[in-house]
Amino acid sequence: QVQLVESGGGLVQPGGSLRLSCAASGSIFSSNAMNWYRQAPGKQREWVAAITSGGITSYASSVKGRFTISGDNTKNTVYLQMNSLKPEDTAVYYCHGVYGNRHYWGQGTQVTVSS
């Protein structure tokens, strides 16, 4: 059974930076891709970024140029570096992966961007 555990959320000022981590119990390369999603209050869950087992990354247009997804297979951890944060980035951020055609989600970590 795969477990995903997010960490690194918190309160940050607009324009600041935050780095989220997603620790996986299995190899991140066992999933075709690892993803970050987010969900703001009263809104649908939104896809944010993805990284394939080959290291190819992709981003939602709303975060492109500001966020960077990366992975460290030695630590079985996926990261989301968030720079130039805006109040609109406030949401619960979730790690996601597919193993054996089954979806796995982390518990979520709260990111609040406010002065």
Side-chain angles (χ1 to χ4, degrees):
Q1 192 77 236
V2 175
Q3 291 184 340
L4 305 175
V5 180
E6 303 100 329
S7 62
L11 176 64
V12 65
Q13 293 183 328
S17 297
L18 211 57
R19 188 196 197 198
L20 306 183
S21 298
C22 171
S25 61
S27 173
I28 59 176
F29 291 107
S30 294
S31 178
N32 287 336
M34 299 296 296
N35 302 272
W36 285 98
Y37 287 78
R38 67 186 182 186
Q39 187 166 24
K43 300 204 171 188
Q44 296 183 76
R45 187 166 295 186
E46 172 191 25
W47 174 79
V48 174
I51 183 167
T52 71
S53 59
I56 305 300
T57 60
S58 56
Y59 302 90
S61 59
S62 59
V63 306
K64 193 175 299 182
R66 300 188 298 119
F67 291 11
T68 302
I69 187 172
S70 61
D72 184 341
N73 192 54
T74 301
K75 298 180 179 180
N76 288 327
T77 300
V78 177
Y79 303 95
L80 185 67
Q81 177 67 46
M82 305 184 294
N83 299 324
S84 302
L85 283 162
K86 307 173 181 179
E88 305 89 85
D89 295 318
T90 296
V92 178
Y93 284 71
Y94 298 91
C95 183
H96 167 270
V98 179
Y99 298 81
N101 208 36
R102 184 172 180 178
H103 293 250
Y104 291 87
W105 294 88
Q107 83 287 353
T109 185
Q110 176 71 47
V111 172
T112 302
V113 184
S114 176
S115 59

